[in-house]
Amino acid sequence: MDYLKILKTNQLAGEIQISGAKNASLPLIAMTILAKNNVCIKNLPQVADINTLLKLLSNLGANIDKQAHHVSVDTTSLHETKATYDIVKTMRASILVLGPILARFGHCEVSLPGGCAIGQRPVDLHLKALEAMGANIQIKSGYIQATAPNGLHGCDIIFDKVTVTGTANIVMAAALADGVTNITNAAREPEVVQLCEILNASGIKIEGIGSAILSIQGTAGTLIDIDEFCIIPDRIEAGTYLCAGAITNSQLTLTHVEPKHLGAVLAKLEEMGSSFTLTEDTITIHPCKKIHSVKIITQEYPAFPTDMQAQFMALATQADGVSIIEERLFENRFMHVSELQRMGADISLNGHTATVSGKSQLSGTDVMATDLRASSALVLAGLVANGETDVHRIYHLDRGYDALEEKLGNVGADISRLKE
Ligand code: EPZ
């Protein structure tokens, strides 16, 4: 297994090109199941989760032509409808094939994703919505067995909770359903917006895009033609590198980024003392001599994203004063805390709230990544910790960051990937 060796970095300088968004790529790859043509997807990030989903589609019979940052997916010869445990256990977002396969073939079997490090992460809302659309759902031997012998029909769906992949799954199922599906309490994340925009451009009439109320006019089973498209920039990757700039008191420019997707993140960094220069597709963060403490509550988009919580906790260890971080989406998304404490951070936990007292001088040591975003938080801490920080189990990091050590190394970080 690989690990990252990081030495204390004085300052970073230069440009980082942001890759396509992992969390936009996954539903958009699943969307190709709805297509009758070979779909070309550009600006794909080189991350493990994308390869896992492409492998799943290939196992189902799709033809995949994958280049570095783009892929052509042809699902016209797709003949299998079972997503097996061996794949789903490595990437829970495999659940995204359930809606499209069920809508297209009338039956689908997907291994229950099970929990993950950050929480239970049930899929009950996905299943309840599909049942409302006419599916019969059974759970047998750890598999979701879904059938819709008469096809899916449009209906009114109200999500009890905002669910990102749940919204994506139902939007895709509704695209081939018979009639109109109205979703209330839909996720508004940019990744869901792009899915809706591309389906809309492919002839699926969708109203309310970007709002919490979506109305989707289905084709009653007719597959669609999907033109080539480009994945939107990864706002969480971008936010992570902005935190790298802030924690090292550096000037960094991010290119190929969408500033309007980062409103809540930029606002919190400004509260902590950073300043920015923005253009249409770049963000430059300027050195901030002093980092101020902050209060953060994670919520659904457009509020502060849970996927930036760990990174801001690392940053908060360098802030003067007491920061309060409340995690409202996942029940176990503080596993980076114990590793940061081992580096010398002063963090106390009370339920879903972390209290971070800074400024702490962190010390490098061996630390273990526990989940994707926790991994990046440990890298950020390693940039300012005295001595050497070795981040182990970085297969977590490789799931969602494209060439992180190259990108940070190119702007002056002393970071290398080594073998255990
Ligand atoms: C997506 O996960 C993202 N993953 C996550 O990013 C992100 O943290 C999360 O949305 C929240 O923004 C992808 O897009 C692939 P949810 P998802 O369904 O869709 C509960 C990363 O680091 N819930 O919006 O699985 C759930 O337990 C990853 O890139 C139900 O109760 O999250 C959670 O408390 C981590 N029942 C809340 O809703 C359901 O059926 C939000 O979950 C579905 C969800």
Side-chain angles (χ1 to χ4, degrees):
M1 276 202 279
D2 296 352
Y3 71 95
L4 287 179
K5 175 184 169 189
I6 304 155
L7 296 178
K8 183 169 187 170
T9 301
N10 292 323
Q11 270 197 317
L12 305 174
E15 287 193 358
I16 295 179
Q17 180 169 328
I18 297 304
S19 300
K22 163 181 84 83
N23 291 348
S25 305
L26 295 170
L28 288 167
I29 290 168
M31 176 191 70
T32 62
I33 296 167
L34 308 175
K36 58 183 162 194
N37 65 307
N38 186 10
V39 183
C40 297
I41 304 175
K42 299 177 80 170
N43 197 35
L44 209 58
Q46 281 271 64
V47 296
D49 275 5
I50 302 305
N51 297 331
T52 303
L53 187 56
L54 291 172
K55 182 172 184 318
L56 169 55
L57 285 192
S58 173
N59 290 354
L60 299 178
N63 290 314
I64 310 285
D65 177 9
K66 171 91 166 50
Q67 307 300 322
H69 288 94
H70 66 265
V71 67
S72 293
V73 183
D74 183 345
T75 63
T76 45
S77 53
L78 199 141
H79 48 75
E80 284 298 321
T81 60
K82 180 172 182 177
T84 53
Y85 176 70
D86 59 315
I87 286 237
V88 178
K89 75 175 186 309
T90 60
M91 198 213 27
R92 55 174 301 96
S94 307
I95 192 73
L96 283 164
V97 304
L98 175 60
I101 290 179
L102 182 60
R104 175 170 168 179
F105 295 101
H107 54 88
C108 178
E109 233 185 306
V110 178
S111 167
L112 269 173
C116 83
I118 63 176
Q120 268 294 315
R121 303 185 73 186
V123 290
D124 57 312
L125 301 178
H126 300 234
L127 304 184
K128 190 175 150 193
L130 288 171
E131 284 178 323
M133 296 176 77
N136 303 312
I137 306 267
Q138 287 194 7
I139 307 290
K140 274 176 85 175
S141 320
Y143 276 79
I144 299 162
Q145 297 185 345
T147 57
N150 306 316
L152 295 176
H153 57 73
C155 68
D156 292 343
I157 287 162
I158 301 175
F159 276 127
D160 297 344
K161 276 181 155 181
V162 173
T163 163
V164 174
T165 50
T167 302
N169 230 336
I170 299 310
V171 164
M172 291 189 281
L176 294 193
D178 183 2
V180 176
T181 300
N182 298 305
I183 304 174
T184 302
N185 205 21
R188 298 162 55 192
E189 275 68 3
E191 297 77 26
V192 173
V193 169
Q194 183 171 34
L195 173 69
C196 292
E197 286 173 339
I198 288 165
L199 285 171
N200 198 55
S202 307
I204 304 294
K205 191 170 179 312
I206 301 182
E207 291 171 357
I209 295 176
S211 82
I213 299 176
L214 296 173
S215 177
I216 303 110
Q217 168 72 55
T219 66
T222 306
L223 299 183
I224 55 179
D225 263 310
I226 300 175
D227 291 339
E228 177 180 295
F229 60 86
C230 234
I231 302 286
I232 57 172
D234 193 317
R235 60 192 168 96
I236 304 302
E237 183 195 21
T240 303
Y241 292 127
L242 290 174
C243 287
I247 205 169
T248 56
N249 187 26
S250 307
Q251 172 149 319
L252 274 183
T253 294
L254 306 187
T255 65
H256 297 78
V257 67
E258 179 52 84
K260 71 172 189 293
H261 291 163
L262 283 144
V265 171
L266 293 172
K268 279 301 162 189
L269 284 170
E270 279 176 346
E271 266 186 59
M272 297 179 84
S274 290
S275 59
F276 302 95
T277 305
L278 307 182
T279 70
E280 199 180 322
D281 61 354
T282 66
I283 298 175
T284 297
I285 183 169
H286 301 291
C288 59
K289 290 278 175 287
K290 189 169 154 14
I291 302 173
H292 307 301
S293 58
V294 73
K295 180 169 170 45
I296 286 172
I297 300 173
T298 66
Q299 296 174 89
E300 295 84 4
Y301 192 87
F304 187 89
T306 174
D307 292 349
M308 284 302 305
Q309 180 256 103
Q311 300 91 312
F312 269 73
M313 191 176 295
L315 180 57
T317 67
Q318 302 307 298
D320 287 336
V322 177
S323 297
I324 307 289
I325 298 177
E326 186 182 342
E327 171 54 57
R328 284 196 180 169
L329 268 84
F330 292 110
E331 61 270 35
N332 190 32
R333 203 169 198 173
F334 280 147
M335 290 195 296
H336 41 285
V337 170
S338 52
E339 297 303 290
L340 290 171
Q341 287 168 330
R342 292 182 55 246
M343 296 178 74
D346 180 354
I347 305 170
S348 61
L349 287 181
N350 178 9
H352 291 182
T353 300
T355 301
V356 186
S357 302
K359 175 174 182 174
S360 308
Q361 177 49 63
L362 301 180
S363 304
T365 182
D366 286 292
V367 290
M368 192 172 71
T370 51
D371 58 270
L372 170 55
R373 305 305 172 183
S375 321
S376 63
L378 297 175
V379 171
L380 296 178
L383 293 175
V384 294
N386 284 335
E388 176 179 330
T389 301
D390 291 344
V391 183
H392 300 276
R393 297 195 182 180
I394 53 166
Y395 57 85
H396 289 290
L397 191 91
D398 293 339
R399 293 190 49 188
Y401 286 95
D402 185 350
L404 177 135
E405 66 270 23
E406 283 90 348
K407 293 187 179 186
L408 281 177
N410 289 342
V411 291
D414 190 335
I415 179 169
S416 42
R417 179 182 287 256
L418 302 170
K419 292 288 179 200
E420 295 284 7

